[in-house]
Amino acid sequence: MRAVLVVNPQATSTTAAGRDVLAHALASELKLDVVETQYWGHASDTARAAVEEGVDLVIAHGGDGTVNEVVNGMFSAGDVGDRAMPTLGVVPGGSANVFARALGLPRDPVEATHRLLRAVAERSGRWVGLGRADERWFTFNAGVGWDAEVVAEVERLRSNGRNVTPALYARTALACYFRMARAEPKLTLRIGDESQVGGLHSVFVSNTDPWTYLGSRPVRMSPETSFDTGLGVFALRNMRTYPVLRHVAEMLRGRAKPHGSNLIQRADVAHLRVTCTEPLRLQVDGDCLGERSEIEFLSVPEALRVAV
């Protein structure tokens, strides 16, 4: 089986020695090419070339950003649900690894590599649904508003040399909350053919559950959402402290479903549109894509086969 291993050497929990061990283990069973990414978009370019060359398996070793790049690169050269498309393999190497964990893969890269090799030997895999935000594919979440502001600020801090930790995310989320709580709502949401709803502060979109992780703790925003359903939607009408704190507590409690009159929540959504009174940031899979005035979100069922 021909395979390409796309490695992000800057990923949080990878080392050069560890990457060599994983590459040797994979090369013992696969006809393997290894590509270490050198620039933003390199993973996408490599995945696109792999599809064009008829490779059987594309393996992403890095964090969720690396997985997202690989997926987008694959679909830039192949069609949704095409049985000739390569299978995606994932070996976690980031800090959160939400997509891999949602699939039930081990967090340890060595264990994940053994699991991947077993899946290849047994031809074990599953088809997963994905989401799209305009032209960009996402594997587990996207959003406009609070979460996108947090992602943008964490990216800025990381570029200034700060270590990205759950504590940093929590402090940044709190700072962004207080800033947004004083601002006027700027978002309007239309879910499917429903009437549009305006006066919203944030719209969170899920492709699976949990929405993300805070360290080892899952953040469950849409427990009814999975890779086998449509998208989950969670939108805040206001940013008053008590309701927001209650929602956060519910999301951290386990499988509790957040509820309340100040939010809009739906599951198994095929299509939604978000419009902004002024351009706002959009994030997908933890990467900020800049500012948008209107975003179309789509659920694409059985889009990609993943080795598990």
Side-chain angles (χ1 to χ4, degrees):
M1 178 178 286
R2 295 178 61 202
V4 173
L5 173 63
V6 184
V7 178
N8 178 5
Q10 305 301 319
T12 309
S13 59
T14 68
T15 64
R19 293 191 295 270
D20 287 343
V21 169
L22 301 184
H24 279 98
L26 292 167
S28 67
E29 302 294 335
L30 303 167
K31 185 178 179 181
L32 186 72
D33 291 325
V34 180
V35 178
E36 289 198 359
T37 59
Q38 300 176 6
Y39 54 86
W40 189 90
H42 194 180
S44 181
D45 293 342
T46 303
R48 182 188 307 112
V51 174
E52 293 171 346
E53 294 168 10
V55 168
D56 303 297
L57 177 68
V58 181
I59 306 166
H61 178 33
D64 288 307
T66 303
V67 175
N68 182 276
E69 272 201 52
V70 166
V71 168
N72 277 275
M74 291 173 68
F75 281 115
S76 69
D79 296 325
V80 173
D82 185 352
R83 267 48 182 175
M85 275 272 282
T87 297
L88 174 68
V90 180
V91 178
S95 55
N97 304 304
V98 181
F99 181 63
R101 291 161 79 175
L103 286 168
L105 299 176
R107 295 181 64 184
D108 179 76
V110 174
E111 293 181 19
T113 300
H114 288 311
R115 173 81 168 268
L116 175 60
L117 288 172
R118 185 170 73 244
V120 169
E122 298 174 356
R123 299 187 179 277
S124 172
R126 61 173 291 190
W127 288 88
V128 300
L130 299 175
R132 284 190 68 175
D134 290 338
E135 76 290 346
R136 188 76 179 185
W137 295 88
F138 60 95
T139 63
F140 61 92
N141 77 29
V144 187
W146 188 7
D147 61 328
E149 292 299 316
V150 173
V151 166
E153 180 62 13
V154 169
E155 287 181 358
R156 186 187 69 81
L157 294 171
R158 178 191 286 134
S159 69
N160 290 333
R162 295 286 297 276
N163 291 326
V164 177
T165 64
L168 178 66
Y169 268 104
R171 290 195 301 270
T172 304
L174 190 61
C176 290
Y177 163 77
F178 284 117
R179 185 167 67 246
M180 293 189 63
R182 296 189 293 268
E184 292 296 317
K186 300 181 176 69
L187 299 177
T188 297
L189 169 66
R190 183 173 185 181
I191 299 174
D193 295 326
E194 297 180 19
S195 298
Q196 66 180 23
V197 179
L200 303 175
H201 286 268
S202 288
V203 176
F204 306 86
V205 182
S206 302
N207 187 53
T208 189
D209 176 70
W211 183 78
T212 190
Y213 287 86
L214 188 63
S216 61
R217 186 180 292 271
V219 179
R220 300 192 182 280
M221 190 174 290
S222 184
E224 297 173 355
T225 301
S226 75
F227 294 124
D228 300 316
T229 71
L231 301 173
V233 182
F234 183 101
L236 290 173
R237 296 179 186 270
N238 66 66
M239 299 289 282
R240 291 196 301 269
T241 302
Y242 175 74
V244 170
L245 286 177
R246 178 164 58 82
H247 295 325
V248 171
E250 289 171 338
M251 288 186 285
L252 293 173
R253 191 177 297 150
R255 297 202 64 84
K257 182 178 179 180
H259 63 281
S261 60
N262 70 313
L263 63 82
I264 298 169
Q265 190 169 32
R266 298 285 191 280
D268 204 13
V269 172
H271 168 258
L272 63 138
R273 178 188 295 111
V274 176
T275 54
C276 317
T277 57
E278 64 183 57
L280 295 178
R281 290 186 173 107
L282 164 70
Q283 74 82 18
V284 298
D285 286 349
D287 283 338
C288 183
L289 299 187
E291 296 182 340
R292 307 286 178 96
S293 295
E294 182 173 327
I295 308 101
E296 297 273 353
F297 293 94
L298 295 173
S299 171
V300 184
E302 295 190 347
L304 183 66
R305 190 171 189 272
V306 183
V308 292

